[in-house]
Amino acid sequence: IPRLGLMIPIVGVPIYEDDWDVTWLWNEAGWLEGTAFPSWSCNSALTGHVTLPNGGDGPFASIGKLKWGDRIIVHAYGVAFEYEVRQNRTVSPFNMSVLKHEEEPWLTLITCKTYNESTGAYSNRIAVRAVLVGAEENNSTVGGANKR
């Protein structure tokens, strides 16, 4: 994510017992199984921590600063897929509308917001939605996927 100076690997997060366990993520973005693979038509979801288990900033600590037109670039298999932000909003943890089906390739970045000490849970999520606007061959990644 050029505006944030963020370049991290993307790893798969499988569904286990009807949920995604992201506790093991550290400095990666996790592609949520069951959403479209990044660059495919529909809606791809990537998640990352806002705060790491050691108390430091997670890789998605600043995604709330993204605005309309900011770029998100996913590098996969020798191609740079460029998305542009169209929406950045705060939603409840139970609001799945940000993962809704799309006809075109969309990318949704999602992370936690507003930790509630009395409940021991986050009371909100930040959801940044971006649409694919272009793809260009490059040689920065061979056989794998990275996000910048």
Side-chain angles (χ1 to χ4, degrees):
I1 305 174
R3 182 168 187 262
L4 302 179
L6 181 64
M7 185 157 66
I8 57 175
I10 299 171
V11 297
V13 177
I15 294 175
Y16 179 73
E17 296 182 1
D18 296 325
D19 202 3
W20 296 288
D21 175 10
V22 297
T23 57
W24 57 272
L25 285 177
W26 195 261
N27 283 315
E28 308 92 7
W31 164 67
L32 300 178
E33 178 186 13
T35 68
F37 191 77
S39 78
W40 292 4
S41 292
C42 204
N43 190 355
S44 306
L46 299 179
T47 191
H49 288 300
V50 67
T51 304
L52 296 174
N54 68 2
D57 284 347
F60 278 16
S62 296
I63 68 168
K65 297 177 182 176
L66 293 175
K67 296 180 175 138
W68 177 282
D70 283 340
R71 295 179 308 132
I72 300 168
I73 303 168
V74 174
H75 295 272
Y77 310 106
V79 178
F81 298 94
E82 186 173 337
Y83 295 83
E84 281 191 1
V85 172
R86 293 295 181 253
Q87 183 180 64
N88 187 336
R89 64 187 187 142
T90 300
V91 298
S92 85
F94 310 105
N95 183 337
M96 299 301 283
S97 70
V98 295
L99 300 180
K100 70 181 179 178
H101 174 79
E102 297 287 352
E103 295 299 322
E104 300 298 321
W106 280 76
L107 181 68
T108 300
L109 306 181
I110 193 161
T111 195
C112 298
K113 179 181 179 181
T114 320
Y115 184 73
N116 183 329
E117 289 191 31
S118 65
T119 64
Y122 285 90
S123 54
N124 294 304
R125 304 269 186 263
I126 296 173
V128 176
R129 301 191 71 238
V131 64
L132 184 68
V133 294
E136 183 177 307
E137 284 189 39
N138 69 31
N139 294 322
S140 65
T141 302
V142 179
N146 290 312
K147 184 180 83 141
R148 178 176 74 173

